[in-house]
Amino acid sequence: MKLTFFGHSCTLIDFGSTKILFDPFISGNELASNVDIDSIEANYILVSHGHEDHILDVERIAKRTGAKIIAPYETCMWFAQKGLDGHPMNHGGKWNFDFGTVKMTNAIHSSILPDGNYGVNPAGYVIESEHGNFYYAGDTALTMDMKLIGMQHQLDFAILPIGDNFTMGIDDAVICADFIKCKNIVGVHYDTFGYIKINKEEAKSKFEKAGTKLTLLEIGESEVLN
Ligand code: NI
Ligand code: MN
């Protein structure tokens, strides 16, 4: 699985035959101005919640690529009203897609759509496929529910928010990695805004002390994770 980071929480997982994109927020991210949004290929776009910093470019990319949107039910219906193809899910549910299974997990956060519509409870996702398994936490606090993920899934890597203030910070993300039993973490949701600036070296050393690898990619950079 190849992961490409497009800034903030936007990550693309490339299975070779299938490309799945998470939470596209590129055109509104000054730090991602070098990313050519109209060259991103995607077969699926997974949306964690309705905040603008997670959905801003969903419509633009979905219309061009024909990608299917996987999102919490009410958010999916909101996209459907815009004529976009979607697959609605809700917490605890799992579905078999052509690339593998997607299970929607709990996230503790808030969610409202940019036009004021109710964005429903935020979510994360566990993806299991023949290529490997991973967890995309979305925007969330540390929660005991993450222990269920560690009990039920063997993860190759996990994509966790580490920016603090709006989500888990570094210390709680280290505990999350322990809860989900995953030693290979990709950090997201940091540095984009003033409230979430982090010290990257400090973050890496805190994870290292816990025996966990933290990968922080440059925007546009890719890494093969297993
Ligand atoms: Ni949010
Ligand atoms: Mn966010």
Side-chain angles (χ1 to χ4, degrees), residues 8 48-54 109-112 122 138-140 166-167 189:
H8 200 47
S48 64
H49 65 296
H51 283 157
E52 191 171 55
D53 61 318
H54 297 259
H109 190 65
S110 64
S111 181
I112 193 163
D139 279 7
T140 182
F166 297 119
T167 67
H189 214 274

PDB file of all heavy atoms in Angstrom, residues 8 48-54 109-112 122 138-140 166-167 189, ligand 1:
ATOM      1  N   HIS A   8      -2.843  18.485   5.675  1.00  0.00           N
ATOM      2  CA  HIS A   8      -3.869  18.410   6.711  1.00  0.00           C
ATOM      3  C   HIS A   8      -4.212  16.947   7.018  1.00  0.00           C
ATOM      4  O   HIS A   8      -3.341  16.229   7.497  1.00  0.00           O
ATOM      5  CB  HIS A   8      -5.096  19.242   6.322  1.00  0.00           C
ATOM      6  CG  HIS A   8      -5.943  19.591   7.502  1.00  0.00           C
ATOM      7  ND1 HIS A   8      -5.414  20.086   8.661  1.00  0.00           N
ATOM      8  CD2 HIS A   8      -7.284  19.499   7.722  1.00  0.00           C
ATOM      9  CE1 HIS A   8      -6.382  20.290   9.538  1.00  0.00           C
ATOM     10  NE2 HIS A   8      -7.531  19.936   9.002  1.00  0.00           N
ATOM     11  N   SER A  48     -14.765  11.586   6.849  1.00  0.00           N
ATOM     12  CA  SER A  48     -14.919  11.280   8.280  1.00  0.00           C
ATOM     13  C   SER A  48     -16.020  12.098   8.933  1.00  0.00           C
ATOM     14  O   SER A  48     -16.696  11.614   9.835  1.00  0.00           O
ATOM     15  CB  SER A  48     -13.596  11.504   9.016  1.00  0.00           C
ATOM     16  OG  SER A  48     -13.219  12.864   8.968  1.00  0.00           O
ATOM     17  N   HIS A  49     -16.180  13.347   8.496  1.00  0.00           N
ATOM     18  CA  HIS A  49     -17.209  14.209   9.081  1.00  0.00           C
ATOM     19  C   HIS A  49     -17.380  15.454   8.219  1.00  0.00           C
ATOM     20  O   HIS A  49     -16.653  15.636   7.243  1.00  0.00           O
ATOM     21  CB  HIS A  49     -16.891  14.546  10.541  1.00  0.00           C
ATOM     22  CG  HIS A  49     -15.661  15.372  10.765  1.00  0.00           C
ATOM     23  ND1 HIS A  49     -14.396  14.928  10.454  1.00  0.00           N
ATOM     24  CD2 HIS A  49     -15.497  16.611  11.281  1.00  0.00           C
ATOM     25  CE1 HIS A  49     -13.520  15.867  10.772  1.00  0.00           C
ATOM     26  NE2 HIS A  49     -14.168  16.898  11.264  1.00  0.00           N
ATOM     27  N   GLY A  50     -18.341  16.307   8.604  1.00  0.00           N
ATOM     28  CA  GLY A  50     -18.761  17.389   7.706  1.00  0.00           C
ATOM     29  C   GLY A  50     -17.973  18.682   7.784  1.00  0.00           C
ATOM     30  O   GLY A  50     -18.295  19.623   7.052  1.00  0.00           O
ATOM     31  N   HIS A  51     -16.954  18.770   8.628  1.00  0.00           N
ATOM     32  CA  HIS A  51     -16.206  20.022   8.709  1.00  0.00           C
ATOM     33  C   HIS A  51     -15.481  20.321   7.399  1.00  0.00           C
ATOM     34  O   HIS A  51     -14.980  19.411   6.733  1.00  0.00           O
ATOM     35  CB  HIS A  51     -15.190  19.962   9.859  1.00  0.00           C
ATOM     36  CG  HIS A  51     -15.810  20.145  11.215  1.00  0.00           C
ATOM     37  ND1 HIS A  51     -15.225  19.700  12.369  1.00  0.00           N
ATOM     38  CD2 HIS A  51     -16.980  20.729  11.585  1.00  0.00           C
ATOM     39  CE1 HIS A  51     -16.002  20.015  13.404  1.00  0.00           C
ATOM     40  NE2 HIS A  51     -17.069  20.624  12.945  1.00  0.00           N
ATOM     41  N   GLU A  52     -15.415  21.623   7.116  1.00  0.00           N
ATOM     42  CA  GLU A  52     -14.859  22.051   5.833  1.00  0.00           C
ATOM     43  C   GLU A  52     -13.429  21.560   5.608  1.00  0.00           C
ATOM     44  O   GLU A  52     -13.050  21.269   4.467  1.00  0.00           O
ATOM     45  CB  GLU A  52     -14.905  23.580   5.741  1.00  0.00           C
ATOM     46  CG  GLU A  52     -14.596  24.084   4.354  1.00  0.00           C
ATOM     47  CD  GLU A  52     -14.861  25.571   4.218  1.00  0.00           C
ATOM     48  OE1 GLU A  52     -14.300  26.342   5.016  1.00  0.00           O
ATOM     49  OE2 GLU A  52     -15.644  25.947   3.328  1.00  0.00           O
ATOM     50  N   ASP A  53     -12.648  21.478   6.674  1.00  0.00           N
ATOM     51  CA  ASP A  53     -11.251  21.052   6.499  1.00  0.00           C
ATOM     52  C   ASP A  53     -11.141  19.549   6.214  1.00  0.00           C
ATOM     53  O   ASP A  53     -10.027  19.005   6.198  1.00  0.00           O
ATOM     54  CB  ASP A  53     -10.380  21.455   7.702  1.00  0.00           C
ATOM     55  CG  ASP A  53     -10.827  20.826   9.008  1.00  0.00           C
ATOM     56  OD1 ASP A  53     -12.046  20.771   9.272  1.00  0.00           O
ATOM     57  OD2 ASP A  53      -9.954  20.385   9.787  1.00  0.00           O
ATOM     58  N   HIS A  54     -12.304  18.905   5.953  1.00  0.00           N
ATOM     59  CA  HIS A  54     -12.312  17.483   5.571  1.00  0.00           C
ATOM     60  C   HIS A  54     -13.106  17.217   4.292  1.00  0.00           C
ATOM     61  O   HIS A  54     -12.978  16.143   3.708  1.00  0.00           O
ATOM     62  CB  HIS A  54     -12.841  16.631   6.739  1.00  0.00           C
ATOM     63  CG  HIS A  54     -11.950  16.743   7.917  1.00  0.00           C
ATOM     64  ND1 HIS A  54     -11.029  15.775   8.260  1.00  0.00           N
ATOM     65  CD2 HIS A  54     -11.761  17.761   8.802  1.00  0.00           C
ATOM     66  CE1 HIS A  54     -10.328  16.199   9.304  1.00  0.00           C
ATOM     67  NE2 HIS A  54     -10.749  17.390   9.650  1.00  0.00           N
ATOM     68  N   HIS A 109     -15.858  14.006  18.486  1.00  0.00           N
ATOM     69  CA  HIS A 109     -15.562  15.285  17.830  1.00  0.00           C
ATOM     70  C   HIS A 109     -16.912  15.959  17.599  1.00  0.00           C
ATOM     71  O   HIS A 109     -17.908  15.575  18.223  1.00  0.00           O
ATOM     72  CB  HIS A 109     -14.805  14.969  16.518  1.00  0.00           C
ATOM     73  CG  HIS A 109     -14.202  16.137  15.827  1.00  0.00           C
ATOM     74  ND1 HIS A 109     -13.186  16.880  16.363  1.00  0.00           N
ATOM     75  CD2 HIS A 109     -14.467  16.701  14.606  1.00  0.00           C
ATOM     76  CE1 HIS A 109     -12.851  17.835  15.499  1.00  0.00           C
ATOM     77  NE2 HIS A 109     -13.623  17.749  14.434  1.00  0.00           N
ATOM     78  N   SER A 110     -17.000  16.926  16.715  1.00  0.00           N
ATOM     79  CA  SER A 110     -18.286  17.527  16.350  1.00  0.00           C
ATOM     80  C   SER A 110     -18.368  17.539  14.832  1.00  0.00           C
ATOM     81  O   SER A 110     -17.404  17.196  14.153  1.00  0.00           O
ATOM     82  CB  SER A 110     -18.392  18.951  16.900  1.00  0.00           C
ATOM     83  OG  SER A 110     -17.408  19.766  16.304  1.00  0.00           O
ATOM     84  N   SER A 111     -19.528  17.933  14.289  1.00  0.00           N
ATOM     85  CA  SER A 111     -19.645  17.885  12.831  1.00  0.00           C
ATOM     86  C   SER A 111     -20.846  18.689  12.365  1.00  0.00           C
ATOM     87  O   SER A 111     -21.976  18.402  12.740  1.00  0.00           O
ATOM     88  CB  SER A 111     -19.799  16.430  12.372  1.00  0.00           C
ATOM     89  OG  SER A 111     -19.881  16.344  10.971  1.00  0.00           O
ATOM     90  N   ILE A 112     -20.585  19.701  11.579  1.00  0.00           N
ATOM     91  CA  ILE A 112     -21.676  20.419  10.911  1.00  0.00           C
ATOM     92  C   ILE A 112     -21.186  20.720   9.499  1.00  0.00           C
ATOM     93  O   ILE A 112     -19.994  20.950   9.275  1.00  0.00           O
ATOM     94  CB  ILE A 112     -22.043  21.706  11.694  1.00  0.00           C
ATOM     95  CG1 ILE A 112     -23.360  22.284  11.189  1.00  0.00           C
ATOM     96  CG2 ILE A 112     -20.934  22.735  11.650  1.00  0.00           C
ATOM     97  CD1 ILE A 112     -23.997  23.276  12.141  1.00  0.00           C
ATOM     98  N   PRO A 122     -19.223  12.293  13.918  1.00  0.00           N
ATOM     99  CA  PRO A 122     -18.001  12.025  13.159  1.00  0.00           C
ATOM    100  C   PRO A 122     -17.574  10.564  13.267  1.00  0.00           C
ATOM    101  O   PRO A 122     -17.941   9.872  14.216  1.00  0.00           O
ATOM    102  CB  PRO A 122     -16.970  12.924  13.822  1.00  0.00           C
ATOM    103  CG  PRO A 122     -17.751  13.923  14.590  1.00  0.00           C
ATOM    104  CD  PRO A 122     -19.011  13.235  15.001  1.00  0.00           C
ATOM    105  N   GLY A 138      -9.785   9.792  11.618  1.00  0.00           N
ATOM    106  CA  GLY A 138     -10.569  11.013  11.467  1.00  0.00           C
ATOM    107  C   GLY A 138     -10.198  12.017  12.544  1.00  0.00           C
ATOM    108  O   GLY A 138      -9.116  11.939  13.136  1.00  0.00           O
ATOM    109  N   ASP A 139     -11.062  12.974  12.805  1.00  0.00           N
ATOM    110  CA  ASP A 139     -10.835  13.918  13.905  1.00  0.00           C
ATOM    111  C   ASP A 139     -11.437  13.299  15.150  1.00  0.00           C
ATOM    112  O   ASP A 139     -12.643  13.068  15.212  1.00  0.00           O
ATOM    113  CB  ASP A 139     -11.539  15.254  13.635  1.00  0.00           C
ATOM    114  CG  ASP A 139     -10.760  16.156  12.704  1.00  0.00           C
ATOM    115  OD1 ASP A 139      -9.741  15.707  12.151  1.00  0.00           O
ATOM    116  OD2 ASP A 139     -11.182  17.314  12.531  1.00  0.00           O
ATOM    117  N   THR A 140     -10.620  13.038  16.131  1.00  0.00           N
ATOM    118  CA  THR A 140     -11.160  12.423  17.348  1.00  0.00           C
ATOM    119  C   THR A 140     -10.263  12.678  18.549  1.00  0.00           C
ATOM    120  O   THR A 140      -9.057  12.886  18.414  1.00  0.00           O
ATOM    121  CB  THR A 140     -11.362  10.896  17.165  1.00  0.00           C
ATOM    122  OG1 THR A 140     -11.932  10.341  18.359  1.00  0.00           O
ATOM    123  CG2 THR A 140     -10.067  10.177  16.847  1.00  0.00           C
ATOM    124  N   PHE A 166      -7.998  20.643  18.557  1.00  0.00           N
ATOM    125  CA  PHE A 166      -9.266  20.166  17.984  1.00  0.00           C
ATOM    126  C   PHE A 166      -9.393  18.636  18.035  1.00  0.00           C
ATOM    127  O   PHE A 166     -10.477  18.094  17.800  1.00  0.00           O
ATOM    128  CB  PHE A 166      -9.389  20.596  16.519  1.00  0.00           C
ATOM    129  CG  PHE A 166      -9.439  22.085  16.318  1.00  0.00           C
ATOM    130  CD1 PHE A 166      -8.459  22.726  15.579  1.00  0.00           C
ATOM    131  CD2 PHE A 166     -10.466  22.850  16.857  1.00  0.00           C
ATOM    132  CE1 PHE A 166      -8.491  24.100  15.377  1.00  0.00           C
ATOM    133  CE2 PHE A 166     -10.511  24.220  16.665  1.00  0.00           C
ATOM    134  CZ  PHE A 166      -9.520  24.851  15.928  1.00  0.00           C
ATOM    135  N   THR A 167      -8.270  17.957  18.248  1.00  0.00           N
ATOM    136  CA  THR A 167      -8.227  16.481  18.225  1.00  0.00           C
ATOM    137  C   THR A 167      -7.222  16.008  19.274  1.00  0.00           C
ATOM    138  O   THR A 167      -6.683  16.818  20.021  1.00  0.00           O
ATOM    139  CB  THR A 167      -7.731  15.953  16.859  1.00  0.00           C
ATOM    140  OG1 THR A 167      -6.354  16.330  16.706  1.00  0.00           O
ATOM    141  CG2 THR A 167      -8.556  16.494  15.700  1.00  0.00           C
ATOM    142  N   HIS A 189      -3.299  16.149  10.531  1.00  0.00           N
ATOM    143  CA  HIS A 189      -4.048  17.194  11.253  1.00  0.00           C
ATOM    144  C   HIS A 189      -3.141  18.003  12.179  1.00  0.00           C
ATOM    145  O   HIS A 189      -3.456  18.246  13.343  1.00  0.00           O
ATOM    146  CB  HIS A 189      -5.222  16.570  12.045  1.00  0.00           C
ATOM    147  CG  HIS A 189      -6.434  17.469  12.126  1.00  0.00           C
ATOM    148  ND1 HIS A 189      -6.582  18.431  13.089  1.00  0.00           N
ATOM    149  CD2 HIS A 189      -7.547  17.551  11.363  1.00  0.00           C
ATOM    150  CE1 HIS A 189      -7.742  19.060  12.920  1.00  0.00           C
ATOM    151  NE2 HIS A 189      -8.353  18.550  11.871  1.00  0.00           N
TER     152      HIS A 189
HETATM  153 NI    NI B   1     -13.303  18.516  12.415  1.00  0.00          NI
END
